[in-house]
Amino acid sequence: MQAPLLASVFIVASCGLAYELIAGALASYLLGDSVTQFSTVIGAYLFAMGIGSWLSKHVAAASVSELLLRFIQIELLVGLLGGLSAGLLFLLFTLHAGPFRFALYGLVLLIGILVGLEIPLIMRILKSEVEFKDLVAKVLSFDYIGALAVSLLFPLLLAPHLGLVRSALLFGLLNALVAAWALWLFRERIGRLAALRAQCAVVIGLLLLAFGFAGQFVSLAEANLYNEDIVHAESSAYQRIVVTKYRDETRLYLNHNLQFSSRDEYRYHEALVHPGLASLPGARRVLVLGGGDGMAVREILKYPQVESIVLVDLDPRMTELFAQSTLLRDLNANALASPKLKIVNVDALQWLEASQEIFDFVVADFPDPSNHSLGKLYSTAFYRLLKQHVAETGRIVVQATSPLYARQSYWTVVATLEAAGWQTAPYHALVPSFGEWGYILAGRRDYRPPETIPVATRFVTPDALPALFHFPADMARVAAEPNRLDNQNLVRIFEREWGRVQAH
């Protein structure tokens, strides 16, 4: 029976790591700052596994049969709790975000303790058949191989294609099937067969039922979260993409954070593009970093002198969706189909490192720096690298969160650009869906506002421009340190400031 139990080690190790990854991913999706969430979840989970391993010595058993019985029951409990964990946490977040963090760590600790019990019990079962030195080597080898397998499968296949809720249910089923397999293999050595079979059947049945209805469950939970009709929802390899519609208003959410509303997105994108591009009548080549929805490209295409645009967005599903959906193509005026446009789906920093192209105008329209993978795109290293791709007379514009709600975050971005050698011209605009929003123009020379806006606009006009560059007292500059790759202080500041806003 040595081989089947070692195979079980491989499976339970895979499942144990999967629950850890799913909890960390869900926390980073819903709470932001992926480094903090993964670090604290992994730490709590490993601590709980240590408790489970210590508790395993108190699992009294007079025989191998009793150990097998306890192992099967623990597998069923791990499968049920782990399998339902993502769905329960997501539902809780949509109903009331307050207790989510408490429930998250409570479940992580409980599942971790149960997972910590598994391997010691298997080793106790196997010790009569395998020498100790071989036992430890074999069990730990299969344990580590299982962890490797799921660490590769989770980001490449499971999370983008199954989603977090179904992935958790899949691994819960694997735990329950290990229990059923062990029950069948050792049926002649285990008592209470009828009760155990019933327990296995109930757990497997519940998990299969939940797996079958997971799609409907997520849709209902998200409908409760957004209070709008969801017209498109999917998990890409990088983020959760949700498009909603209420009457004549369309909204885009990424990882449950609002990105734009069709009612006022023109204010955001006109303010992003026109103060800079209208001041560069000679601009021919334009680079857009982020902005996979095509709205910034729409505004740039209004300038007939622009000959080419390169759009670099990490997520191919974003650019595909906004190029194919009739509803969304209407919003961006089918900008992503323009013959002037080249779309590149790759990390912006990696693309800049590999490219030799020079541009007259660059739009950095990244999501807010809510985690370290985004924070690197607001760092001195990134802005120095970007400088190598901007013409001597060229200019960049950076969306830089709200100078009202995240005042220090905004001025940290300004300080970061200046530390990278740019001359900055900070400004802001009122976008009702977000409130006061901040932007920063930067170049090698002082910025002079254009006397005219040579294209059709609804919000940004020559008369309105001076007010955009004036900051009242509650948004005026504050002391701030640059955001550097090795510390990413901006992510911590952003999380603290927006956390206060959300708390109110």
Side-chain angles (χ1 to χ4, degrees):
M1 293 298 179
Q2 185 182 142
L5 283 172
L6 289 174
S8 297
V9 171
F10 176 85
I11 295 172
V12 300
S14 301
C15 295
L17 181 61
Y19 301 136
E20 188 178 353
L21 293 173
I22 288 166
L26 188 67
S28 65
Y29 277 10
L30 300 177
L31 301 176
D33 191 357
S34 57
V35 171
T36 298
Q37 306 311 326
F38 271 99
S39 179
T40 54
V41 165
I42 289 171
Y45 195 80
L46 291 175
F47 171 72
M49 286 178 65
I51 294 174
S53 297
W54 181 81
L55 289 175
S56 67
K57 69 178 183 179
H58 298 289
V59 177
S63 65
V64 173
S65 298
E66 289 185 26
L67 280 175
L68 286 165
L69 174 65
R70 298 290 175 257
F71 173 73
I72 290 169
Q73 290 174 329
I74 287 170
E75 283 302 291
L76 290 175
L77 193 52
V78 171
L80 190 62
L81 282 176
L84 296 176
S85 60
L88 290 173
L89 287 170
F90 185 56
L91 180 62
L92 178 62
F93 184 83
T94 63
L95 295 174
H96 198 301
F100 172 81
R101 200 182 297 265
F102 176 80
L104 168 70
Y105 289 102
L107 266 176
V108 164
L109 289 170
L110 187 55
I111 294 170
I113 289 171
L114 292 171
V115 169
L117 287 166
E118 294 172 321
I119 299 302
L121 289 182
I122 291 177
M123 293 179 74
R124 288 171 64 182
I125 293 167
L126 282 169
K127 73 177 182 178
S128 61
E129 302 181 27
V130 185
E131 286 189 31
F132 181 76
K133 64 176 183 177
D134 293 331
L135 173 63
V136 173
K138 289 180 179 180
V139 169
L140 292 183
S141 295
F142 277 87
D143 187 9
Y144 296 147
I145 293 170
L148 173 64
V150 78
S151 68
L152 295 175
L153 286 172
F154 179 75
L156 298 176
L157 182 65
L158 298 173
H161 295 289
L162 283 183
L164 298 182
V165 173
R166 278 201 176 102
S167 292
L169 288 165
L170 173 63
F171 285 103
L173 277 168
L174 287 175
N175 273 126
L177 290 172
V178 165
W181 187 30
L183 180 60
W184 183 80
L185 285 173
F186 298 99
R187 60 191 179 279
E188 296 178 358
R189 299 170 62 178
I190 300 176
R192 299 169 55 187
L193 281 177
L196 281 176
R197 284 172 180 158
Q199 291 170 20
C200 286
V202 169
V203 172
I204 291 172
L206 282 173
L207 292 171
L208 284 172
L209 186 66
F211 192 92
F213 285 96
Q216 294 92 318
F217 168 81
V218 171
S219 296
L220 287 171
E222 286 186 327
N224 183 70
L225 179 63
Y226 295 115
N227 293 318
E228 303 154 18
D229 293 332
I230 297 174
V231 296
H232 182 86
E234 67 171 292
S235 293
S236 73
Y238 304 100
Q239 57 200 343
R240 181 68 177 170
I241 304 170
V242 175
V243 180
T244 69
K245 191 166 182 64
Y246 178 71
R247 297 181 179 173
D248 61 344
E249 182 179 10
T250 302
R251 292 187 172 194
L252 170 69
Y253 295 88
L254 298 180
N255 292 342
H256 311 287
N257 295 312
L258 179 65
Q259 302 301 302
F260 73 72
S261 165
S262 60
R263 285 192 175 182
D264 54 24
E265 60 79 16
Y266 71 91
R267 278 180 159 249
Y268 173 90
H269 291 102
E270 285 187 9
L272 178 69
V273 171
H274 297 301
L277 192 51
S279 70
L280 299 169
R284 299 289 183 269
R285 293 174 52 78
V286 177
L287 172 64
V288 179
L289 302 172
D293 53 38
M295 307 296 190
V297 175
R298 176 196 67 202
E299 297 302 313
I300 294 165
L301 286 171
K302 292 179 179 179
Y303 291 79
Q305 78 270 17
V306 172
E307 298 172 356
S308 65
I309 306 169
V310 177
L311 170 63
V312 180
D313 190 282
L314 178 63
D315 194 345
R317 283 302 302 141
M318 273 290 291
T319 50
E320 289 167 5
L321 179 63
F322 278 82
Q324 296 169 0
S325 165
T326 301
L327 172 66
L328 302 176
R329 283 165 49 198
D330 287 345
L331 291 179
N332 64 28
N334 204 23
L336 298 185
S338 171
K340 294 183 178 182
L341 179 68
K342 175 185 176 183
I343 298 174
V344 182
N345 294 120
V346 70
D347 179 83
L349 192 148
Q350 294 176 9
W351 185 84
L352 288 172
E353 287 177 333
S355 174
Q356 301 297 319
E357 297 185 62
I358 304 296
F359 298 91
D360 302 305
F361 186 58
V362 179
V363 177
D365 189 19
F366 298 120
D368 289 334
S370 58
N371 59 58
H372 289 75
S373 62
L374 290 169
K376 72 180 182 183
L377 305 175
Y378 292 82
S379 66
T380 51
F382 182 82
Y383 292 139
R384 287 193 184 102
L385 178 62
L386 185 56
K387 201 170 187 180
Q388 300 172 20
H389 296 271
V390 180
E392 190 66 28
T393 58
R395 199 165 294 280
I396 69 170
V397 63
V398 177
Q399 91 78 16
T401 195
S402 172
L404 180 62
Y405 302 121
R407 186 175 175 184
Q408 190 175 9
S409 298
Y410 175 80
W411 292 107
T412 295
V413 182
V414 175
T416 304
L417 282 160
E418 292 172 350
W422 295 93
Q423 295 187 41
T424 63
Y427 66 105
H428 62 96
L430 176 63
V431 182
S433 293
F434 301 108
E436 287 290 343
W437 210 254
Y439 313 83
I440 307 159
L441 278 164
R444 292 179 175 85
R445 305 175 182 181
D446 288 338
Y447 169 74
R448 293 183 180 179
E451 296 180 359
T452 62
I453 304 294
V455 297
T457 56
R458 300 166 61 186
F459 170 57
V460 175
T461 63
D463 291 339
L465 273 176
L468 302 185
F469 291 86
H470 171 71
F471 285 83
D474 58 354
M475 294 191 292
R477 185 159 190 166
V478 293
E481 292 293 321
N483 181 50
R484 304 185 190 278
L485 272 182
D486 63 340
N487 66 2
Q488 296 231 21
N489 61 305
L490 176 60
V491 176
R492 296 190 297 274
I493 296 167
F494 179 86
E495 183 181 38
R496 182 181 70 244
E497 291 186 313
W498 279 106
R500 286 200 297 261
V501 173
Q502 292 166 355
H504 290 86

